[in-house]
Amino acid sequence: MAAAAAKRPKTSPKAVKFLFGGLAGMGATVFVQPLDLVKNRMQLSREGAKTREYHTSLHALGSVLRHEGLRGLYTGLSAGLLHQATYTTTSLGIYTVLFERLTGADGTPPGFLTKAAIGMTAGATGAFMGTPAEVALIHMTADGRLPPAERRGYRNVFDTLLRMAREEGILTLWRGCVPTTAQAVVVNVAQLASYSQSKQFLLDSGYFRDDILCHFCASMISRLVTTAASMPVDIVKTRIQNMRTINGKPEHRNRLDVLLRVVGRKGFFSLWKGFTPYYARLGPHTVLTYIFLEQLNRGYRRLFLST
């Protein structure tokens, strides 16, 4: 028994795994923040106007550049970084810990249903922890589309959080927590199921081998399915998190009210408004997160765990 324990490879401490998860997510966010901003602007575009505020993702991107400059594309970056520091740190850390704990003594990984349960638990917990930063991100990215007289002029994520708590109450920071958690569960389930099925389909076609090209193609198909499944939940979440209180009453009564308003005014397919930037963001962010995470883990093993 002692010999087996001695041969067991060293692993990084749990605190380091949590830290690296957050740092990896923050590094990826620096690259994809403009896509997040465009997605939020499109989902919050004015209703009831005779003409669309934004026709396409490129139109929204051009409008931001024209009115706010290149720097405007990174509005809300501090909130995006804080969101990754809370959401990704929590979700990746919990997933890693639970995965290792449920791995068999002989190294057998957990089964599919167990992995799905781990993913949903980690995603839901991370979503709850990251909700305040995400609410701040929605407010900051939406501020530039308001008329100059109505803009709040947030300086950074901490200024946003303090002002929201002071002006609207501390519970406002968890506004939209239920749809945020629901979205995290949908994303994790959709990713796990669609990736497995896509990979098997590609291998069965005879044109792919179990290599990086197959994994990349299966990942992109999985992203497409995941985006389509989670967009309606995301647009409800975004509108609830950005709603105002008018004469003491919230702008929307509940999540169903948001859905009915969006579909009634803009049509059923408006639930997928912002699909292109959302899909374009989801793939690179995931890929970059795991690239950064792998490099951080590799560097830690080389510096601190090498014999």
Side-chain angles (χ1 to χ4, degrees), residues 94-116:
I94 289 177
Y95 185 88
T96 302
V97 171
L98 290 178
F99 190 92
E100 288 181 353
R101 184 160 294 183
L102 295 173
T103 298
D106 58 350
T108 304
F112 175 78
L113 291 178
T114 303
K115 283 190 285 187

Side-chain angles (χ1 to χ4, degrees), residues 79 82-83 86-87 126-140 157 160-161 164 170-177 180 241:
L82 181 62
H83 178 247
T86 50
Y87 169 75
F128 178 81
M129 296 298 294
T131 296
E134 189 167 17
V135 173
L137 174 63
I138 299 297
H139 277 246
M140 293 178 75
V157 62
T160 306
L161 292 171
M164 286 177 62
I170 191 72
L171 293 179
T172 305
L173 301 183
W174 274 271
R175 178 184 286 163
C177 180
T180 299
Q241 289 177 333

Side-chain angles (χ1 to χ4, degrees), residues 224-235:
L224 189 66
V225 174
T226 303
T227 301
S230 62
M231 276 295 290
V233 184
D234 186 69
I235 198 169

Side-chain angles (χ1 to χ4, degrees), residues 75-97:
T75 299
L77 177 61
S78 61
L81 293 175
L82 181 62
H83 178 247
Q84 291 301 319
T86 50
Y87 169 75
T88 307
T89 299
T90 303
S91 58
L92 272 180
I94 289 177
Y95 185 88
T96 302
V97 171

